[in-house]
């Protein structure tokens, strides 16, 4: 019964959220089973320039070995990634994937100048920040201790990271990138003289977006009340016979 529930929940998860969280769990499991090493996954500009380009992806997939920190981060990643994809990005998976590419690219550029090995935590904070800015009036409760509105959530997570002993600049990177995306996507286009800077390529829309329902559907005769419009047809035929009869009488 529990397996069936988990299976249904997994299959009902939006595609990009499902793909990303699955990749994170598989990567961490591979390290746990010693099928891979963190030394093969971490962000290293020198090795990347030498051809190990997979590190551009794996740096976002490893959240450390299984434990409380991993579980907490994965829950937040899954929750807010899914709420974004089902909320403001509903039926716009291509735009959501574009946000992934934009955020990951900015974080990688920053990582070239900052000594950071794994970017998954910063990426999660970016997702949380974008969600919080698009849900300004949602009330939050943090472990039953704090009540606040959604825009304060990233800063609460920064404080919590300090308690866990994580590097604070990683979270600040995620907040900075999330704010840049939010400004370019939600603020600047609505300013006087503003325009949309981030444009999703049509090829991504063709590959990822669901086909919209068209309004060109013509009701079939059998879909109409009364079948094939028989009642109206009989009335029209009676009216036609009456008109013919009247014309005959007039001619006489």
């Amino acid at each position: 019964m529990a397996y069936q529930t988990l299976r249904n929940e997994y299959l009902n998860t939006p595609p990009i959220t499902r793909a990303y969280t699955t990749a994170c769990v598989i990567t961490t499991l591979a390290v746990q089973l010693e099928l891979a090493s963190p030394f093969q996954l971490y962000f290293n500009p020198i090795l990347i320039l030498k051809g190990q380009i997979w590190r551009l992806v794996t740096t976002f997939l490893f959240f450390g070995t299984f434990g409380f920190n991993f579980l907490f981060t994965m829950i937040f990643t899954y929750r807010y990634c899914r709420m974004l994809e089902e909320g403001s990005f509903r039926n716009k998976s291509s735009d959501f994937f574009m946000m992934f590419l934009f955020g990951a690219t900015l974080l990688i550029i920053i990582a070239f100048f900052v000594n950071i090995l794994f970017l998954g935590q910063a990426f999660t904070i970016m997702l949380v920040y974008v969600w919080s800015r698009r849900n300004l009036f949602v009330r939050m409760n943090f472990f039953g201790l704090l009540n606040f509105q959604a825009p304060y959530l990233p800063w609460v997570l920064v404080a919590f990271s300090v308690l866990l002993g994580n590097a604070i600049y990683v979270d600040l990177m995620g907040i900075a990138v999330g704010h840049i995306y939010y400004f370019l996507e939600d603020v600047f286009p609505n300013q006087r003289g503003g325009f949309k800077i981030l444009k999703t390529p049509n090829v991504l829309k063709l590959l990822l977006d669901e086909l919209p329902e068209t309004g060109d559907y013509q009701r079939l005769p059998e879909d109409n009340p009364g079948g094939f419009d028989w009642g109206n047809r009989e009335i029209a035929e009676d009216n036609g016979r009456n008109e013919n009869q009247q014309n005959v009488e007039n001619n006489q």
Side-chain angles (χ1 to χ4, degrees):
M1 186 66 180
Y3 167 76
Q4 190 68 23
T5 302
L6 289 175
R7 181 177 179 274
N8 292 336
E9 181 70 16
Y10 178 78
L11 294 177
N12 290 330
T13 302
I16 295 178
T17 300
R18 182 170 65 239
Y20 179 60
T21 53
T22 299
C24 292
V25 172
I26 290 176
T27 302
T28 304
L29 185 62
V31 172
Q32 194 76 19
L33 297 176
E34 298 183 354
L35 300 175
S37 169
F39 296 104
Q40 299 172 313
L41 308 175
Y42 75 96
F43 184 84
N44 187 317
I46 297 175
L47 295 178
I48 290 172
L49 294 175
K50 288 183 178 180
Q52 298 185 15
I53 58 175
W54 66 82
R55 294 177 183 270
L56 294 173
V57 177
T58 56
T59 185
F60 293 99
L61 303 181
F62 183 65
F63 289 88
T65 56
F66 287 112
F68 176 77
N69 195 12
F70 169 80
L71 182 62
F72 179 81
T73 306
M74 284 306 305
I75 288 175
F76 264 78
T77 301
Y78 172 80
R79 175 178 173 81
Y80 290 97
C81 190
R82 178 170 184 172
M83 286 197 296
L84 272 176
E85 191 170 2
E86 291 182 337
S88 57
F89 290 98
R90 186 176 183 86
N91 295 327
K92 296 186 292 184
S93 295
S94 60
D95 292 342
F96 192 48
F97 186 72
M98 191 67 183
M99 188 191 78
F100 264 56
L101 292 179
F102 177 81
T105 301
L106 276 188
L107 288 172
I108 287 171
I109 293 173
I110 296 172
F112 269 99
F113 304 96
V114 179
N115 184 22
I116 184 171
L117 302 180
F118 293 100
L119 298 170
Q121 182 179 342
F123 190 78
T124 296
I125 295 297
M126 182 202 74
L127 295 175
V128 172
Y129 184 88
V130 174
W131 178 87
S132 69
R133 297 300 299 177
R134 291 185 170 182
N135 296 271
L136 296 176
F137 303 106
V138 174
R139 295 290 299 174
M140 309 293 297
N141 183 281
F142 194 73
F143 288 127
L145 301 176
L146 295 174
N147 292 298
F148 52 89
Q149 288 183 288
Y152 295 102
L153 178 60
W155 304 104
V156 172
L157 294 181
V158 169
F160 191 69
S161 291
V162 173
L163 295 178
L164 293 178
N166 298 327
I168 188 173
Y169 67 88
V170 176
D171 292 344
L172 294 179
M173 283 174 54
I175 290 175
V177 172
H179 184 73
I180 292 173
Y181 176 84
Y182 168 74
F183 177 81
L184 294 178
E185 187 70 10
D186 295 358
V187 179
F188 180 72
N190 297 320
Q191 299 294 316
R192 185 174 182 180
F195 55 92
K196 189 172 178 63
I197 297 176
L198 302 177
K199 296 183 179 179
T200 304
N202 289 329
V203 63
L204 288 180
K205 293 182 179 180
L206 291 174
L207 291 174
L208 299 176
D209 288 352
E210 296 181 4
L211 293 176
E213 295 183 1
T214 61
D216 299 332
Y217 173 72
Q218 300 293 330
R219 290 177 63 90
L220 297 175
E222 58 266 32
D223 293 332
N224 295 321
F228 289 83
D229 203 22
W230 289 327
N232 291 333
R233 183 176 301 175
E234 291 175 357
I235 294 174
E237 291 176 353
D238 290 340
N239 291 336
R241 285 195 295 267
N242 292 335
E243 290 178 358
N244 292 334
Q245 184 176 358
Q246 186 174 1
N247 291 333
V248 171
E249 293 176 354
N250 291 334
N251 292 332
Q252 292 177 351

